[in-house]
Structure formats: C-alpha cells, structure tokens
Amino acid sequence: MKRNEDFSSSTSSSTSFLAHFWSSALRAKPLPAPSADTSVRTNSGDGLVRRLGLLDLVLLGIGASIGAGIFVVTGTVARDTGPGVTISFIIAGASCVLNALCYAELASRFPAVVGGAYLYAYSAFNELTAFLVFAQLMLDYHIGAASIARSLAGYVVSVLELIPALKDNIPHWVGHGEDISGVLSINALAPILLILLTVVLCRGVGESSIVNSIMTVTKVVIVIFVIIAGAFKVDVSNWSPFVPHGFQTVLTGATVVFFAYVGFDAVANSAEESKRPQRDLPLGIMGSLFICIALYVGVCLVITGMVPYQFLGEDAPLAEAFKSKGLKYVAVLISIGAVAGLTTTLLVGLYVQSRLYLGLGRDGLLPSIFSRVHPRRHTPIHSQIWVGIVALILAGLFNVHVLSHILSVGSLTGYSVVSACVISLRWKDKTTSQAYTRFLSKRGEGIICIVIIACCGFAAGVLYRFGASFIFLIVVAIIAILSASALHFRHVYTDLPGFSCPGVPIVPAVCIFVNIFLFAQLHYEAWVRFVVLSIITVAIYAFYGQYHANPVSSDTSIIYHRAPAEEAQ
C-alpha cells in the first residue's frame, strides 16, 4: 500500500514538473510600448546610456563585419571559383540584405532594449525558443572571439617583426601559439589583447565607440587605397574566363563567403544605446551592409585582375599579390589593415556578447549578477568581465581553430529565427483572436508552414551537397513555395509604423530557406553541435531557467537616459 502511495506521489511530482516546464517554456515576453524615447533601467538603479549616433552605428556594423577576411577569404575562395568569386560575394551579399531587412524591421520595432535575436524570439514565440537561440549564438560568439584574438595576436607579431631588431626573435608561443597536443595550444599575447579590449569596453560605450571608429576608419581607408592602387595593376585578360569551373563553384563559394558579412546584428544589439533607435538602427544595419558589399566586390575584382587566380596564395593572398607586382609597401599596409580589422571585429564581438548576457540577466534566465549596470560607467561590467574571461581562457590555452568548423551554426539559426519572428509578429495580433479550425489555430497553421519551409531548405541543402538528382530539388522547392503561398494567402499582415520589411511573408520565407540551405552545407560535426547544445540548453532551462525567468520583471522600469552632452543641451 505504501509502495503504491510512493509511486502515486512520484508520478504526481513528475506530472507537476512537466506541466510547469511546459507552461513556462511557452511563455512569451509582452511587446514593448512603441516609444522611441525609452530604455530599460535595471534594479541597480542605473541603465545604459544613449550615446551612439547614426555614424557610430554604421561604423559598428562595418567593424563587426570587415576583418582579416577581406585580406584572406577573398583570395582563398578565388582559388576555387576564379574571378567568379565576385559573383559569390554579390550573391551572399544579396542574401544578407534580405536578412538585414528583417533585422532592420525588428530593430525599429524593439528600439528600447538590448537582446537582438533572443529578444525577438522571446516576444514572437516563447521563452524556451529564445533561450535556445541565445545558447547557439553565444557559443559562436565565444569561440569566434577566441579565434579572432589568436589571429590578431599573430598579426600583431607580424607587424612587430617589421622592426629589424625583432625579426625572428619573438618566440612562437607569444603570438602564433605553441601546440602542446591536438587541443591545447599556448598563446601569451591573445589574453593580453583581450584584457585591454575588455578594459576599454568596461570604461563605457563612448570610449569603446571611439576606439572602434578610429580603427574602422583606418581599415576602410586602407582597403580603399588597396583597391585604387591595385586597379592600376589589373590585367583584364586575367578575368577571362570569369567562371572557369562552372556556376556550381560560384554557389559553393557564396556559402563560404556568406559569413564574411555577418555582424550587422551587432547594430541591432546596440538598440538601448542608440540616440534615435527607430530611425538610426535600420539605416545603420543597411548602410553598413552595403558598404561592406562594395568593399568586398572591389577587392575581389582587384585581386583576380592582378594575378591569375591559380597563383593566388593561401595564407595572405592579397599581400602576396601586391608583392608580386613590386608593391611591398602596400603589403605592409595590408598587415596594418588586418590588425585594425581584427581589433574592431573582436571589440564589437565582445560588446555584443555582454549585451546579450545583460538581457538574459534581466529576464531571470541567468543569475541577476549579469543584469547589473555600473552606476557611473553605464556598462554591464559584470557581463563584460565574464565574456572577457571566457574568451581569455579559450584563446590562451586552446587551439580554437580546431573548433572553427562548428562555427556559424548560431548565426544561421539566429538569422532564420529572426526572419520567422517578422512573419509571426506581423500576424500575431490579428490571428490570435480568430476562431480555431477543427485541429489547430491560424497561428499554429502559420508556424507549421514556417517549419516546413525550414525543413525544405535543409532537405534542399543536403540534396545539393550530395549531388542528388535535380528533380528532387525541384520537388522540395515546390513544397516550400506552396508553404510560402499558404503564409501569404491564409494570413492578414499588419502595417507597422517606422521601417517595415518589404514583401512579408515572402522575403522572410526566402531568408529562412536560404539560411537553412547554408546550414546544410556545414560540416556534419556542426549538426552534432547543434543537437548536443540544444539538449544541454533544455536541461539548464529545466533545472534553472523555468524557476527564475520572469518576462515581466517587477524590478524593471522604463526610463530614458541621455548622454551628458545631450543633458547639457
């Protein structure tokens, strides 16, 4: 009898746990009031301060996107695609423009608070989806920051070795890394650089914005100079044939260079520190992206015109191209530009991470220490230090390049969810009040269509990757088109004040399909990482997040902080 009572009690406890988990996981964050002049103040009594203007946001987006990739990736991809690498960058850029349109709408709609893709998913879908998006993005950011720090250390050493007294006298473990085993690798300079950048970020967004602006302007000027100098050495015969290995190599190249554009989401994550977020965030996102596209296309045309694509180097193709033309001084400028590019990419990456932790700390999904903002510096100093420590450990002790093939999962996942959020938030208010069909609501029907589009994108990517018959690709594409058509004809979409993504739901549906198509091109270990991290994240949420999260926190008030200069005015 007692055993039956214990069994009944255990069953009841399990049922209660699952019921609480399910109800918590499906909670959504209320949409913020449509006001441009608001920001969030945490229980520390102080909030982030609005210091960033439109130019700051544009430079932030460029700083996040243009790194050493413009000096390396352009050449390495050109070895496989030929001069057609220019088309690869245009295709990838066009895809990113569609994603940026979705980001721009949501950044305009959520101008008051930090969070980016996490915040959008929390409002459009539910708490668990938002937490999963955060986890996937954060692992990308952590590994990416450590990898960039090690690359930056290597470039800094290369620049220092331009001094004759230091050439070949700097130990390998200082900047380039000394491998101990397959995973462990000692690098002394990378942690020092991370400490310096973390200190800059802790001092305030104004100081970090100044550093980012100076470094970004420096590298953009160098890139423009490189394009102009190289244009005089172009031999147009090197552009023929323009696509020597077929258009499929161009598409494959587009999947690789797609990641050279990621970074415009950093602008969306600066919402709470923008002076005029509803106007400037969309302009900052789109403006920085178009500038990046122009710079990449210019470099591609120059590098493939100067040297036949077959002879481009692998490690530093742009620098080697100029050396082969006798322009060694330009190669030195390229090294300096790479240092500036990596510095801004790393600085913005650390900045974005701390703001994401700040958002989760405020919502209770992480300990409250992450929600604290320094009362004088107006920076999430605890989150910033935590981000710096994680990057410092990874960069100083581990060969993070071994983990590079599991990167980009978070970016593609986040971009896909953001596109889905645009669709959901446009018809959310008008469909929730409609009557249910026999089996599911209009909203449920829409979410199923979105999931089908994503599944079709993955199926198309797998079929393309393994060379399946073109007929199967057509079938998958037709299913995706029918699902997008159902989204278009079965729902009513609201018109929003401010910036609106055009072509909803078709444009976001195309974004989802393309992003998941690219996801399928990643290494299979990236798929494993996605599944394993998702399981771990659900477990963390089950045992911590569901009991502490509060979408409508009582200790959060709405307040507008002006920069000191504005207050004086």
Side-chain angles (χ1 to χ4, degrees), residues 22-54:
W22 190 247
S23 64
S24 300
L26 294 181
R27 287 183 301 204
K29 195 178 192 66
L31 290 172
S35 172
D37 292 338
T38 58
S39 67
V40 172
R41 181 172 71 179
T42 63
N43 55 12
S44 65
D46 288 272
L48 302 181
V49 63
R50 295 189 182 276
R51 294 180 181 270
L52 302 179
L54 177 58

Side-chain angles (χ1 to χ4, degrees), residues 263-304:
F264 52 81
D265 59 326
V267 181
N269 278 284
S270 65
E272 197 174 322
E273 291 159 292
S274 170
K275 293 178 182 178
R276 294 172 294 275
Q278 286 185 311
R279 188 203 72 168
D280 290 350
L281 289 177
L283 291 175
I285 290 171
M286 302 305 299
S288 62
L289 182 56
F290 280 117
I291 292 173
C292 290
I293 292 174
L295 293 176
Y296 276 124
V297 169
V299 169
C300 288
L301 290 173
V302 164
I303 193 174
T304 55

Side-chain angles (χ1 to χ4, degrees), residues 394-535:
L394 289 175
L397 299 178
F398 296 96
N399 182 5
V400 290
H401 295 293
V402 175
L403 304 176
S404 61
H405 54 269
I406 68 171
L407 282 174
S408 302
V409 174
S411 299
L412 289 172
T413 302
Y415 289 178
S416 301
V417 171
V418 167
S419 299
C421 288
V422 170
I423 298 174
S424 175
L425 289 173
R426 283 286 196 98
W427 44 248
K428 180 177 181 181
D429 293 336
K430 290 197 175 184
T431 58
T432 51
S433 61
Q434 293 181 4
Y436 280 69
T437 63
R438 180 173 298 182
F439 299 106
L440 76 165
S441 67
K442 278 280 193 177
R443 174 174 166 78
E445 176 188 301
I447 291 176
I448 289 175
C449 289
I450 293 173
V451 171
I452 290 174
I453 292 171
C455 292
C456 287
F458 186 78
V462 171
L463 292 170
Y464 172 80
R465 178 174 180 172
F466 294 104
S469 172
F470 194 66
I471 296 176
F472 293 110
L473 286 171
I474 293 177
V475 171
V476 170
I478 290 174
I479 296 173
I481 291 172
L482 291 175
S483 297
S485 299
L487 285 174
H488 179 71
F489 292 109
R490 296 276 296 170
H491 291 83
V492 179
Y493 294 88
T494 60
D495 294 324
L496 298 176
F499 183 87
S500 296
C501 175
V504 175
I506 303 304
V507 168
V510 171
C511 290
I512 295 170
F513 186 90
V514 172
N515 292 337
I516 302 301
F517 177 91
L518 295 175
F519 181 96
Q521 309 306 309
L522 299 176
H523 196 278
Y524 75 92
E525 289 186 12
W527 304 352
V528 175
R529 165 235 153 134
F530 177 82
V531 174
V532 171
L533 182 59
S534 296
I535 294 172

Side-chain angles (χ1 to χ4, degrees), residues 3-165:
R3 181 178 299 178
N4 290 337
E5 291 177 354
D6 291 342
F7 176 77
S8 177
S9 176
S10 176
T11 303
S12 176
S13 177
S14 300
T15 303
S16 176
F17 174 83
L18 291 175
H20 186 275
F21 174 87
W22 190 247
S23 64
S24 300
L26 294 181
R27 287 183 301 204
K29 195 178 192 66
L31 290 172
S35 172
D37 292 338
T38 58
S39 67
V40 172
R41 181 172 71 179
T42 63
N43 55 12
S44 65
D46 288 272
L48 302 181
V49 63
R50 295 189 182 276
R51 294 180 181 270
L52 302 179
L54 177 58
L55 180 60
D56 297 312
L57 295 174
V58 171
L59 292 175
L60 190 72
I62 297 173
S65 299
I66 301 290
I70 200 167
F71 305 110
V72 179
V73 174
T74 49
T76 54
V77 176
R79 287 172 60 88
D80 298 322
T81 61
V85 65
T86 306
I87 302 176
S88 296
F89 270 98
I90 292 174
I91 293 173
S95 175
C96 284
V97 166
L98 297 181
N99 282 285
L101 289 171
C102 296
Y103 258 99
E105 174 177 315
L106 295 179
S108 176
R109 190 166 184 174
F110 294 81
V113 287
V114 296
Y118 154 78
L119 172 65
Y120 309 151
Y122 207 160
S123 297
F125 296 110
N126 54 62
E127 195 167 279
L128 182 58
T129 299
F131 197 43
L132 287 167
V133 168
F134 164 79
Q136 296 292 346
L137 281 172
M138 198 48 60
L139 184 58
D140 265 15
Y141 279 128
H142 282 320
I143 297 175
S147 179
I148 293 170
R150 290 179 74 99
S151 297
L152 176 59
Y155 272 102
V156 169
V157 169
S158 298
V159 171
L160 291 175
E161 288 182 338
L162 294 174
I163 303 173

